[in-house]
Amino acid sequence: RDQIQSRRRHIWKYYREHLGEWASRNGVRLPFVPEHCEQPWHMFYMLMPSLKARQALIAHLKAREILGVFHYLPLHLSEMGRRLGGKENDCPVTECVSDCVIRLPFYSELHEADQARVVSAINKFVYV
């Protein structure tokens, strides 16, 4: 467990360190972990400025054979949530995060060279 967590922490911190400037220049938010919180190091995500920006980045990465994914469906917009009365704009912040979040490749065996390729591709991405 400690070895896996150490590896995942290294991967997470690499992304954070190497994408910080790009994110600041492009209005992209990176994860923030308060000092008093324990981090599980299980994924690295970015919050793009819009759904269109996220979709453009996913396409940009895909063209370079890099998988950037999203997976978050607000519960109130799920099939069950809608049956219980959930509808668009019930939770605008949640819906915005759902539209803007992208997860980067993240697994314990991810080599730094592969991670550098992901970072390089993202640093070349410009959304207008």
Side-chain angles (χ1 to χ4, degrees), residues 13-37:
K13 287 185 173 187
Y14 184 96
Y15 277 137
R16 186 74 174 92
E17 178 182 336
H18 290 87
L19 291 171
E21 286 183 35
W22 174 86
S24 292
R25 284 192 317 270
N26 291 282
V28 174
R29 294 181 297 177
L30 300 181
F32 169 75
V33 181
E35 290 291 325
H36 66 279
C37 294

mmCIF file with all atom_site columns, all heavy atoms in Angstrom, residues 13-37:
data_model
loop_
_atom_site.group_PDB
_atom_site.id
_atom_site.type_symbol
_atom_site.label_atom_id
_atom_site.label_alt_id
_atom_site.label_comp_id
_atom_site.label_asym_id
_atom_site.label_entity_id
_atom_site.label_seq_id
_atom_site.pdbx_PDB_ins_code
_atom_site.Cartn_x
_atom_site.Cartn_y
_atom_site.Cartn_z
_atom_site.occupancy
_atom_site.B_iso_or_equiv
_atom_site.pdbx_formal_charge
_atom_site.auth_seq_id
_atom_site.auth_comp_id
_atom_site.auth_asym_id
_atom_site.auth_atom_id
_atom_site.pdbx_PDB_model_num
ATOM 1   N N   . LYS A 1 13 ? 1.829   14.857 -8.095  1.00 0.00 ? 13 LYS A N   1
ATOM 2   C CA  . LYS A 1 13 ? 2.649   16.055 -7.912  1.00 0.00 ? 13 LYS A CA  1
ATOM 3   C C   . LYS A 1 13 ? 3.352   16.466 -9.203  1.00 0.00 ? 13 LYS A C   1
ATOM 4   O O   . LYS A 1 13 ? 3.544   17.660 -9.456  1.00 0.00 ? 13 LYS A O   1
ATOM 5   C CB  . LYS A 1 13 ? 3.648   15.846 -6.773  1.00 0.00 ? 13 LYS A CB  1
ATOM 6   C CG  . LYS A 1 13 ? 2.971   15.863 -5.409  1.00 0.00 ? 13 LYS A CG  1
ATOM 7   C CD  . LYS A 1 13 ? 3.971   15.769 -4.285  1.00 0.00 ? 13 LYS A CD  1
ATOM 8   C CE  . LYS A 1 13 ? 3.260   15.964 -2.959  1.00 0.00 ? 13 LYS A CE  1
ATOM 9   N NZ  . LYS A 1 13 ? 4.220   16.051 -1.844  1.00 0.00 ? 13 LYS A NZ  1
ATOM 10  N N   . TYR A 1 14 ? 3.730   15.492 -10.012 1.00 0.00 ? 14 TYR A N   1
ATOM 11  C CA  . TYR A 1 14 ? 4.353   15.807 -11.305 1.00 0.00 ? 14 TYR A CA  1
ATOM 12  C C   . TYR A 1 14 ? 3.390   16.619 -12.164 1.00 0.00 ? 14 TYR A C   1
ATOM 13  O O   . TYR A 1 14 ? 3.759   17.659 -12.718 1.00 0.00 ? 14 TYR A O   1
ATOM 14  C CB  . TYR A 1 14 ? 4.761   14.515 -12.018 1.00 0.00 ? 14 TYR A CB  1
ATOM 15  C CG  . TYR A 1 14 ? 5.493   14.744 -13.313 1.00 0.00 ? 14 TYR A CG  1
ATOM 16  C CD1 . TYR A 1 14 ? 6.890   14.739 -13.360 1.00 0.00 ? 14 TYR A CD1 1
ATOM 17  C CD2 . TYR A 1 14 ? 4.798   14.963 -14.503 1.00 0.00 ? 14 TYR A CD2 1
ATOM 18  C CE1 . TYR A 1 14 ? 7.566   14.952 -14.550 1.00 0.00 ? 14 TYR A CE1 1
ATOM 19  C CE2 . TYR A 1 14 ? 5.470   15.177 -15.695 1.00 0.00 ? 14 TYR A CE2 1
ATOM 20  C CZ  . TYR A 1 14 ? 6.844   15.169 -15.718 1.00 0.00 ? 14 TYR A CZ  1
ATOM 21  O OH  . TYR A 1 14 ? 7.506   15.378 -16.906 1.00 0.00 ? 14 TYR A OH  1
ATOM 22  N N   . TYR A 1 15 ? 2.159   16.145 -12.299 1.00 0.00 ? 15 TYR A N   1
ATOM 23  C CA  . TYR A 1 15 ? 1.170   16.897 -13.063 1.00 0.00 ? 15 TYR A CA  1
ATOM 24  C C   . TYR A 1 15 ? 0.988   18.303 -12.485 1.00 0.00 ? 15 TYR A C   1
ATOM 25  O O   . TYR A 1 15 ? 0.977   19.294 -13.204 1.00 0.00 ? 15 TYR A O   1
ATOM 26  C CB  . TYR A 1 15 ? -0.182  16.184 -13.065 1.00 0.00 ? 15 TYR A CB  1
ATOM 27  C CG  . TYR A 1 15 ? -0.344  15.086 -14.074 1.00 0.00 ? 15 TYR A CG  1
ATOM 28  C CD1 . TYR A 1 15 ? -0.957  13.892 -13.709 1.00 0.00 ? 15 TYR A CD1 1
ATOM 29  C CD2 . TYR A 1 15 ? 0.066   15.220 -15.398 1.00 0.00 ? 15 TYR A CD2 1
ATOM 30  C CE1 . TYR A 1 15 ? -1.157  12.863 -14.630 1.00 0.00 ? 15 TYR A CE1 1
ATOM 31  C CE2 . TYR A 1 15 ? -0.124  14.208 -16.322 1.00 0.00 ? 15 TYR A CE2 1
ATOM 32  C CZ  . TYR A 1 15 ? -0.734  13.033 -15.931 1.00 0.00 ? 15 TYR A CZ  1
ATOM 33  O OH  . TYR A 1 15 ? -0.930  12.029 -16.844 1.00 0.00 ? 15 TYR A OH  1
ATOM 34  N N   . ARG A 1 16 ? 0.825   18.384 -11.185 1.00 0.00 ? 16 ARG A N   1
ATOM 35  C CA  . ARG A 1 16 ? 0.577   19.679 -10.527 1.00 0.00 ? 16 ARG A CA  1
ATOM 36  C C   . ARG A 1 16 ? 1.712   20.652 -10.796 1.00 0.00 ? 16 ARG A C   1
ATOM 37  O O   . ARG A 1 16 ? 1.500   21.809 -11.133 1.00 0.00 ? 16 ARG A O   1
ATOM 38  C CB  . ARG A 1 16 ? 0.385   19.453 -9.019  1.00 0.00 ? 16 ARG A CB  1
ATOM 39  C CG  . ARG A 1 16 ? -0.021  20.703 -8.261  1.00 0.00 ? 16 ARG A CG  1
ATOM 40  C CD  . ARG A 1 16 ? -1.483  21.008 -8.565  1.00 0.00 ? 16 ARG A CD  1
ATOM 41  N NE  . ARG A 1 16 ? -1.978  22.094 -7.766  1.00 0.00 ? 16 ARG A NE  1
ATOM 42  C CZ  . ARG A 1 16 ? -1.956  23.380 -8.163  1.00 0.00 ? 16 ARG A CZ  1
ATOM 43  N NH1 . ARG A 1 16 ? -1.446  23.723 -9.309  1.00 0.00 ? 16 ARG A NH1 1
ATOM 44  N NH2 . ARG A 1 16 ? -2.453  24.311 -7.390  1.00 0.00 ? 16 ARG A NH2 1
ATOM 45  N N   . GLU A 1 17 ? 2.922   20.180 -10.660 1.00 0.00 ? 17 GLU A N   1
ATOM 46  C CA  . GLU A 1 17 ? 4.102   21.031 -10.850 1.00 0.00 ? 17 GLU A CA  1
ATOM 47  C C   . GLU A 1 17 ? 4.277   21.439 -12.315 1.00 0.00 ? 17 GLU A C   1
ATOM 48  O O   . GLU A 1 17 ? 4.572   22.597 -12.610 1.00 0.00 ? 17 GLU A O   1
ATOM 49  C CB  . GLU A 1 17 ? 5.354   20.289 -10.372 1.00 0.00 ? 17 GLU A CB  1
ATOM 50  C CG  . GLU A 1 17 ? 6.640   21.061 -10.567 1.00 0.00 ? 17 GLU A CG  1
ATOM 51  C CD  . GLU A 1 17 ? 7.861   20.275 -10.131 1.00 0.00 ? 17 GLU A CD  1
ATOM 52  O OE1 . GLU A 1 17 ? 7.737   19.370 -9.290  1.00 0.00 ? 17 GLU A OE1 1
ATOM 53  O OE2 . GLU A 1 17 ? 8.950   20.582 -10.652 1.00 0.00 ? 17 GLU A OE2 1
ATOM 54  N N   . HIS A 1 18 ? 4.082   20.518 -13.229 1.00 0.00 ? 18 HIS A N   1
ATOM 55  C CA  . HIS A 1 18 ? 4.384   20.779 -14.633 1.00 0.00 ? 18 HIS A CA  1
ATOM 56  C C   . HIS A 1 18 ? 3.235   21.414 -15.421 1.00 0.00 ? 18 HIS A C   1
ATOM 57  O O   . HIS A 1 18 ? 3.442   21.847 -16.557 1.00 0.00 ? 18 HIS A O   1
ATOM 58  C CB  . HIS A 1 18 ? 4.854   19.494 -15.309 1.00 0.00 ? 18 HIS A CB  1
ATOM 59  C CG  . HIS A 1 18 ? 6.207   19.060 -14.849 1.00 0.00 ? 18 HIS A CG  1
ATOM 60  N ND1 . HIS A 1 18 ? 6.395   18.270 -13.736 1.00 0.00 ? 18 HIS A ND1 1
ATOM 61  C CD2 . HIS A 1 18 ? 7.428   19.335 -15.329 1.00 0.00 ? 18 HIS A CD2 1
ATOM 62  C CE1 . HIS A 1 18 ? 7.682   18.074 -13.553 1.00 0.00 ? 18 HIS A CE1 1
ATOM 63  N NE2 . HIS A 1 18 ? 8.337   18.702 -14.508 1.00 0.00 ? 18 HIS A NE2 1
ATOM 64  N N   . LEU A 1 19 ? 2.059   21.471 -14.844 1.00 0.00 ? 19 LEU A N   1
ATOM 65  C CA  . LEU A 1 19 ? 0.927   22.089 -15.545 1.00 0.00 ? 19 LEU A CA  1
ATOM 66  C C   . LEU A 1 19 ? 0.486   23.416 -14.933 1.00 0.00 ? 19 LEU A C   1
ATOM 67  O O   . LEU A 1 19 ? -0.398  24.082 -15.463 1.00 0.00 ? 19 LEU A O   1
ATOM 68  C CB  . LEU A 1 19 ? -0.263  21.115 -15.582 1.00 0.00 ? 19 LEU A CB  1
ATOM 69  C CG  . LEU A 1 19 ? -0.065  19.890 -16.465 1.00 0.00 ? 19 LEU A CG  1
ATOM 70  C CD1 . LEU A 1 19 ? -1.203  18.898 -16.265 1.00 0.00 ? 19 LEU A CD1 1
ATOM 71  C CD2 . LEU A 1 19 ? 0.054   20.290 -17.922 1.00 0.00 ? 19 LEU A CD2 1
ATOM 72  N N   . GLY A 1 20 ? 1.085   23.799 -13.832 1.00 0.00 ? 20 GLY A N   1
ATOM 73  C CA  . GLY A 1 20 ? 0.659   24.998 -13.111 1.00 0.00 ? 20 GLY A CA  1
ATOM 74  C C   . GLY A 1 20 ? 0.690   26.275 -13.930 1.00 0.00 ? 20 GLY A C   1
ATOM 75  O O   . GLY A 1 20 ? -0.283  27.038 -13.953 1.00 0.00 ? 20 GLY A O   1
ATOM 76  N N   . GLU A 1 21 ? 1.796   26.547 -14.601 1.00 0.00 ? 21 GLU A N   1
ATOM 77  C CA  . GLU A 1 21 ? 1.902   27.780 -15.390 1.00 0.00 ? 21 GLU A CA  1
ATOM 78  C C   . GLU A 1 21 ? 0.914   27.780 -16.545 1.00 0.00 ? 21 GLU A C   1
ATOM 79  O O   . GLU A 1 21 ? 0.247   28.789 -16.801 1.00 0.00 ? 21 GLU A O   1
ATOM 80  C CB  . GLU A 1 21 ? 3.329   27.951 -15.910 1.00 0.00 ? 21 GLU A CB  1
ATOM 81  C CG  . GLU A 1 21 ? 4.309   28.368 -14.837 1.00 0.00 ? 21 GLU A CG  1
ATOM 82  C CD  . GLU A 1 21 ? 5.700   28.591 -15.412 1.00 0.00 ? 21 GLU A CD  1
ATOM 83  O OE1 . GLU A 1 21 ? 5.808   29.071 -16.572 1.00 0.00 ? 21 GLU A OE1 1
ATOM 84  O OE2 . GLU A 1 21 ? 6.665   28.280 -14.704 1.00 0.00 ? 21 GLU A OE2 1
ATOM 85  N N   . TRP A 1 22 ? 0.824   26.647 -17.257 1.00 0.00 ? 22 TRP A N   1
ATOM 86  C CA  . TRP A 1 22 ? -0.108  26.551 -18.378 1.00 0.00 ? 22 TRP A CA  1
ATOM 87  C C   . TRP A 1 22 ? -1.534  26.793 -17.898 1.00 0.00 ? 22 TRP A C   1
ATOM 88  O O   . TRP A 1 22 ? -2.292  27.532 -18.520 1.00 0.00 ? 22 TRP A O   1
ATOM 89  C CB  . TRP A 1 22 ? 0.021   25.183 -19.055 1.00 0.00 ? 22 TRP A CB  1
ATOM 90  C CG  . TRP A 1 22 ? -1.002  24.967 -20.114 1.00 0.00 ? 22 TRP A CG  1
ATOM 91  C CD1 . TRP A 1 22 ? -0.917  25.351 -21.417 1.00 0.00 ? 22 TRP A CD1 1
ATOM 92  C CD2 . TRP A 1 22 ? -2.294  24.371 -19.943 1.00 0.00 ? 22 TRP A CD2 1
ATOM 93  N NE1 . TRP A 1 22 ? -2.073  25.012 -22.082 1.00 0.00 ? 22 TRP A NE1 1
ATOM 94  C CE2 . TRP A 1 22 ? -2.935  24.414 -21.203 1.00 0.00 ? 22 TRP A CE2 1
ATOM 95  C CE3 . TRP A 1 22 ? -2.972  23.803 -18.869 1.00 0.00 ? 22 TRP A CE3 1
ATOM 96  C CZ2 . TRP A 1 22 ? -4.215  23.912 -21.409 1.00 0.00 ? 22 TRP A CZ2 1
ATOM 97  C CZ3 . TRP A 1 22 ? -4.250  23.290 -19.064 1.00 0.00 ? 22 TRP A CZ3 1
ATOM 98  C CH2 . TRP A 1 22 ? -4.861  23.353 -20.321 1.00 0.00 ? 22 TRP A CH2 1
ATOM 99  N N   . ALA A 1 23 ? -1.889  26.179 -16.782 1.00 0.00 ? 23 ALA A N   1
ATOM 100 C CA  . ALA A 1 23 ? -3.245  26.333 -16.245 1.00 0.00 ? 23 ALA A CA  1
ATOM 101 C C   . ALA A 1 23 ? -3.524  27.798 -15.915 1.00 0.00 ? 23 ALA A C   1
ATOM 102 O O   . ALA A 1 23 ? -4.590  28.323 -16.251 1.00 0.00 ? 23 ALA A O   1
ATOM 103 C CB  . ALA A 1 23 ? -3.422  25.448 -15.013 1.00 0.00 ? 23 ALA A CB  1
ATOM 104 N N   . SER A 1 24 ? -2.588  28.468 -15.279 1.00 0.00 ? 24 SER A N   1
ATOM 105 C CA  . SER A 1 24 ? -2.774  29.884 -14.928 1.00 0.00 ? 24 SER A CA  1
ATOM 106 C C   . SER A 1 24 ? -2.988  30.747 -16.168 1.00 0.00 ? 24 SER A C   1
ATOM 107 O O   . SER A 1 24 ? -3.850  31.630 -16.178 1.00 0.00 ? 24 SER A O   1
ATOM 108 C CB  . SER A 1 24 ? -1.563  30.409 -14.160 1.00 0.00 ? 24 SER A CB  1
ATOM 109 O OG  . SER A 1 24 ? -1.483  29.804 -12.901 1.00 0.00 ? 24 SER A OG  1
ATOM 110 N N   . ARG A 1 25 ? -2.223  30.495 -17.205 1.00 0.00 ? 25 ARG A N   1
ATOM 111 C CA  . ARG A 1 25 ? -2.339  31.284 -18.444 1.00 0.00 ? 25 ARG A CA  1
ATOM 112 C C   . ARG A 1 25 ? -3.655  31.030 -19.172 1.00 0.00 ? 25 ARG A C   1
ATOM 113 O O   . ARG A 1 25 ? -4.119  31.879 -19.930 1.00 0.00 ? 25 ARG A O   1
ATOM 114 C CB  . ARG A 1 25 ? -1.188  30.951 -19.404 1.00 0.00 ? 25 ARG A CB  1
ATOM 115 C CG  . ARG A 1 25 ? 0.136   31.543 -19.049 1.00 0.00 ? 25 ARG A CG  1
ATOM 116 C CD  . ARG A 1 25 ? 1.147   31.416 -20.193 1.00 0.00 ? 25 ARG A CD  1
ATOM 117 N NE  . ARG A 1 25 ? 1.157   30.125 -20.853 1.00 0.00 ? 25 ARG A NE  1
ATOM 118 C CZ  . ARG A 1 25 ? 1.928   29.086 -20.500 1.00 0.00 ? 25 ARG A CZ  1
ATOM 119 N NH1 . ARG A 1 25 ? 2.749   29.192 -19.473 1.00 0.00 ? 25 ARG A NH1 1
ATOM 120 N NH2 . ARG A 1 25 ? 1.881   27.955 -21.182 1.00 0.00 ? 25 ARG A NH2 1
ATOM 121 N N   . ASN A 1 26 ? -4.245  29.854 -18.976 1.00 0.00 ? 26 ASN A N   1
ATOM 122 C CA  . ASN A 1 26 ? -5.411  29.461 -19.759 1.00 0.00 ? 26 ASN A CA  1
ATOM 123 C C   . ASN A 1 26 ? -6.716  29.389 -18.975 1.00 0.00 ? 26 ASN A C   1
ATOM 124 O O   . ASN A 1 26 ? -7.713  28.872 -19.487 1.00 0.00 ? 26 ASN A O   1
ATOM 125 C CB  . ASN A 1 26 ? -5.128  28.111 -20.432 1.00 0.00 ? 26 ASN A CB  1
ATOM 126 C CG  . ASN A 1 26 ? -4.075  28.249 -21.516 1.00 0.00 ? 26 ASN A CG  1
ATOM 127 O OD1 . ASN A 1 26 ? -4.374  28.705 -22.608 1.00 0.00 ? 26 ASN A OD1 1
ATOM 128 N ND2 . ASN A 1 26 ? -2.841  27.888 -21.203 1.00 0.00 ? 26 ASN A ND2 1
ATOM 129 N N   . GLY A 1 27 ? -6.727  29.889 -17.762 1.00 0.00 ? 27 GLY A N   1
ATOM 130 C CA  . GLY A 1 27 ? -7.957  29.902 -16.975 1.00 0.00 ? 27 GLY A CA  1
ATOM 131 C C   . GLY A 1 27 ? -8.430  28.519 -16.567 1.00 0.00 ? 27 GLY A C   1
ATOM 132 O O   . GLY A 1 27 ? -9.629  28.290 -16.413 1.00 0.00 ? 27 GLY A O   1
ATOM 133 N N   . VAL A 1 28 ? -7.484  27.614 -16.402 1.00 0.00 ? 28 VAL A N   1
ATOM 134 C CA  . VAL A 1 28 ? -7.792  26.231 -16.027 1.00 0.00 ? 28 VAL A CA  1
ATOM 135 C C   . VAL A 1 28 ? -7.493  26.060 -14.543 1.00 0.00 ? 28 VAL A C   1
ATOM 136 O O   . VAL A 1 28 ? -6.462  26.515 -14.053 1.00 0.00 ? 28 VAL A O   1
ATOM 137 C CB  . VAL A 1 28 ? -6.951  25.239 -16.871 1.00 0.00 ? 28 VAL A CB  1
ATOM 138 C CG1 . VAL A 1 28 ? -7.149  23.815 -16.414 1.00 0.00 ? 28 VAL A CG1 1
ATOM 139 C CG2 . VAL A 1 28 ? -7.291  25.397 -18.351 1.00 0.00 ? 28 VAL A CG2 1
ATOM 140 N N   . ARG A 1 29 ? -8.411  25.421 -13.843 1.00 0.00 ? 29 ARG A N   1
ATOM 141 C CA  . ARG A 1 29 ? -8.206  25.182 -12.410 1.00 0.00 ? 29 ARG A CA  1
ATOM 142 C C   . ARG A 1 29 ? -7.678  23.770 -12.187 1.00 0.00 ? 29 ARG A C   1
ATOM 143 O O   . ARG A 1 29 ? -8.183  22.811 -12.764 1.00 0.00 ? 29 ARG A O   1
ATOM 144 C CB  . ARG A 1 29 ? -9.500  25.400 -11.641 1.00 0.00 ? 29 ARG A CB  1
ATOM 145 C CG  . ARG A 1 29 ? -9.941  26.862 -11.688 1.00 0.00 ? 29 ARG A CG  1
ATOM 146 C CD  . ARG A 1 29 ? -11.192 27.105 -10.920 1.00 0.00 ? 29 ARG A CD  1
ATOM 147 N NE  . ARG A 1 29 ? -12.276 26.334 -11.527 1.00 0.00 ? 29 ARG A NE  1
ATOM 148 C CZ  . ARG A 1 29 ? -13.504 26.277 -11.063 1.00 0.00 ? 29 ARG A CZ  1
ATOM 149 N NH1 . ARG A 1 29 ? -13.836 26.944 -9.982  1.00 0.00 ? 29 ARG A NH1 1
ATOM 150 N NH2 . ARG A 1 29 ? -14.431 25.568 -11.671 1.00 0.00 ? 29 ARG A NH2 1
ATOM 151 N N   . LEU A 1 30 ? -6.655  23.685 -11.349 1.00 0.00 ? 30 LEU A N   1
ATOM 152 C CA  . LEU A 1 30 ? -6.072  22.408 -10.969 1.00 0.00 ? 30 LEU A CA  1
ATOM 153 C C   . LEU A 1 30 ? -6.534  22.052 -9.563  1.00 0.00 ? 30 LEU A C   1
ATOM 154 O O   . LEU A 1 30 ? -6.975  22.925 -8.812  1.00 0.00 ? 30 LEU A O   1
ATOM 155 C CB  . LEU A 1 30 ? -4.543  22.484 -11.020 1.00 0.00 ? 30 LEU A CB  1
ATOM 156 C CG  . LEU A 1 30 ? -3.930  22.820 -12.382 1.00 0.00 ? 30 LEU A CG  1
ATOM 157 C CD1 . LEU A 1 30 ? -2.407  22.836 -12.280 1.00 0.00 ? 30 LEU A CD1 1
ATOM 158 C CD2 . LEU A 1 30 ? -4.381  21.845 -13.456 1.00 0.00 ? 30 LEU A CD2 1
ATOM 159 N N   . PRO A 1 31 ? -6.416  20.793 -9.185  1.00 0.00 ? 31 PRO A N   1
ATOM 160 C CA  . PRO A 1 31 ? -6.858  20.393 -7.840  1.00 0.00 ? 31 PRO A CA  1
ATOM 161 C C   . PRO A 1 31 ? -6.127  21.172 -6.751  1.00 0.00 ? 31 PRO A C   1
ATOM 162 O O   . PRO A 1 31 ? -4.946  21.492 -6.881  1.00 0.00 ? 31 PRO A O   1
ATOM 163 C CB  . PRO A 1 31 ? -6.482  18.912 -7.760  1.00 0.00 ? 31 PRO A CB  1
ATOM 164 C CG  . PRO A 1 31 ? -6.275  18.472 -9.157  1.00 0.00 ? 31 PRO A CG  1
ATOM 165 C CD  . PRO A 1 31 ? -5.857  19.682 -9.940  1.00 0.00 ? 31 PRO A CD  1
ATOM 166 N N   . PHE A 1 32 ? -6.858  21.446 -5.705  1.00 0.00 ? 32 PHE A N   1
ATOM 167 C CA  . PHE A 1 32 ? -6.298  22.101 -4.527  1.00 0.00 ? 32 PHE A CA  1
ATOM 168 C C   . PHE A 1 32 ? -6.643  21.241 -3.324  1.00 0.00 ? 32 PHE A C   1
ATOM 169 O O   . PHE A 1 32 ? -7.797  20.868 -3.131  1.00 0.00 ? 32 PHE A O   1
ATOM 170 C CB  . PHE A 1 32 ? -6.893  23.508 -4.343  1.00 0.00 ? 32 PHE A CB  1
ATOM 171 C CG  . PHE A 1 32 ? -6.544  24.115 -3.025  1.00 0.00 ? 32 PHE A CG  1
ATOM 172 C CD1 . PHE A 1 32 ? -5.271  24.618 -2.802  1.00 0.00 ? 32 PHE A CD1 1
ATOM 173 C CD2 . PHE A 1 32 ? -7.474  24.160 -2.004  1.00 0.00 ? 32 PHE A CD2 1
ATOM 174 C CE1 . PHE A 1 32 ? -4.945  25.166 -1.569  1.00 0.00 ? 32 PHE A CE1 1
ATOM 175 C CE2 . PHE A 1 32 ? -7.149  24.705 -0.774  1.00 0.00 ? 32 PHE A CE2 1
ATOM 176 C CZ  . PHE A 1 32 ? -5.885  25.212 -0.552  1.00 0.00 ? 32 PHE A CZ  1
ATOM 177 N N   . VAL A 1 33 ? -5.642  20.925 -2.534  1.00 0.00 ? 33 VAL A N   1
ATOM 178 C CA  . VAL A 1 33 ? -5.850  20.104 -1.339  1.00 0.00 ? 33 VAL A CA  1
ATOM 179 C C   . VAL A 1 33 ? -5.455  20.941 -0.124  1.00 0.00 ? 33 VAL A C   1
ATOM 180 O O   . VAL A 1 33 ? -4.281  21.275 0.047   1.00 0.00 ? 33 VAL A O   1
ATOM 181 C CB  . VAL A 1 33 ? -5.007  18.813 -1.383  1.00 0.00 ? 33 VAL A CB  1
ATOM 182 C CG1 . VAL A 1 33 ? -5.260  17.962 -0.154  1.00 0.00 ? 33 VAL A CG1 1
ATOM 183 C CG2 . VAL A 1 33 ? -5.293  18.022 -2.659  1.00 0.00 ? 33 VAL A CG2 1
ATOM 184 N N   . PRO A 1 34 ? -6.413  21.289 0.725   1.00 0.00 ? 34 PRO A N   1
ATOM 185 C CA  . PRO A 1 34 ? -6.085  22.064 1.931   1.00 0.00 ? 34 PRO A CA  1
ATOM 186 C C   . PRO A 1 34 ? -5.094  21.310 2.812   1.00 0.00 ? 34 PRO A C   1
ATOM 187 O O   . PRO A 1 34 ? -5.074  20.069 2.834   1.00 0.00 ? 34 PRO A O   1
ATOM 188 C CB  . PRO A 1 34 ? -7.435  22.214 2.632   1.00 0.00 ? 34 PRO A CB  1
ATOM 189 C CG  . PRO A 1 34 ? -8.452  22.022 1.546   1.00 0.00 ? 34 PRO A CG  1
ATOM 190 C CD  . PRO A 1 34 ? -7.848  21.033 0.604   1.00 0.00 ? 34 PRO A CD  1
ATOM 191 N N   . GLU A 1 35 ? -4.282  22.057 3.518   1.00 0.00 ? 35 GLU A N   1
ATOM 192 C CA  . GLU A 1 35 ? -3.241  21.480 4.387   1.00 0.00 ? 35 GLU A CA  1
ATOM 193 C C   . GLU A 1 35 ? -3.788  20.452 5.375   1.00 0.00 ? 35 GLU A C   1
ATOM 194 O O   . GLU A 1 35 ? -3.140  19.468 5.676   1.00 0.00 ? 35 GLU A O   1
ATOM 195 C CB  . GLU A 1 35 ? -2.512  22.595 5.151   1.00 0.00 ? 35 GLU A CB  1
ATOM 196 C CG  . GLU A 1 35 ? -1.628  23.453 4.288   1.00 0.00 ? 35 GLU A CG  1
ATOM 197 C CD  . GLU A 1 35 ? -0.408  22.717 3.772   1.00 0.00 ? 35 GLU A CD  1
ATOM 198 O OE1 . GLU A 1 35 ? 0.145   21.864 4.494   1.00 0.00 ? 35 GLU A OE1 1
ATOM 199 O OE2 . GLU A 1 35 ? -0.013  23.010 2.621   1.00 0.00 ? 35 GLU A OE2 1
ATOM 200 N N   . HIS A 1 36 ? -4.981  20.694 5.891   1.00 0.00 ? 36 HIS A N   1
ATOM 201 C CA  . HIS A 1 36 ? -5.525  19.827 6.929   1.00 0.00 ? 36 HIS A CA  1
ATOM 202 C C   . HIS A 1 36 ? -6.199  18.565 6.376   1.00 0.00 ? 36 HIS A C   1
ATOM 203 O O   . HIS A 1 36 ? -6.702  17.745 7.141   1.00 0.00 ? 36 HIS A O   1
ATOM 204 C CB  . HIS A 1 36 ? -6.511  20.606 7.809   1.00 0.00 ? 36 HIS A CB  1
ATOM 205 C CG  . HIS A 1 36 ? -7.739  21.036 7.062   1.00 0.00 ? 36 HIS A CG  1
ATOM 206 N ND1 . HIS A 1 36 ? -7.756  22.147 6.250   1.00 0.00 ? 36 HIS A ND1 1
ATOM 207 C CD2 . HIS A 1 36 ? -8.975  20.494 6.992   1.00 0.00 ? 36 HIS A CD2 1
ATOM 208 C CE1 . HIS A 1 36 ? -8.959  22.268 5.712   1.00 0.00 ? 36 HIS A CE1 1
ATOM 209 N NE2 . HIS A 1 36 ? -9.721  21.286 6.140   1.00 0.00 ? 36 HIS A NE2 1
ATOM 210 N N   . CYS A 1 37 ? -6.183  18.394 5.065   1.00 0.00 ? 37 CYS A N   1
ATOM 211 C CA  . CYS A 1 37 ? -6.850  17.244 4.446   1.00 0.00 ? 37 CYS A CA  1
ATOM 212 C C   . CYS A 1 37 ? -5.843  16.188 4.012   1.00 0.00 ? 37 CYS A C   1
ATOM 213 O O   . CYS A 1 37 ? -4.718  16.505 3.633   1.00 0.00 ? 37 CYS A O   1
ATOM 214 C CB  . CYS A 1 37 ? -7.647  17.690 3.231   1.00 0.00 ? 37 CYS A CB  1
ATOM 215 S SG  . CYS A 1 37 ? -9.040  18.754 3.649   1.00 0.00 ? 37 CYS A SG  1
#
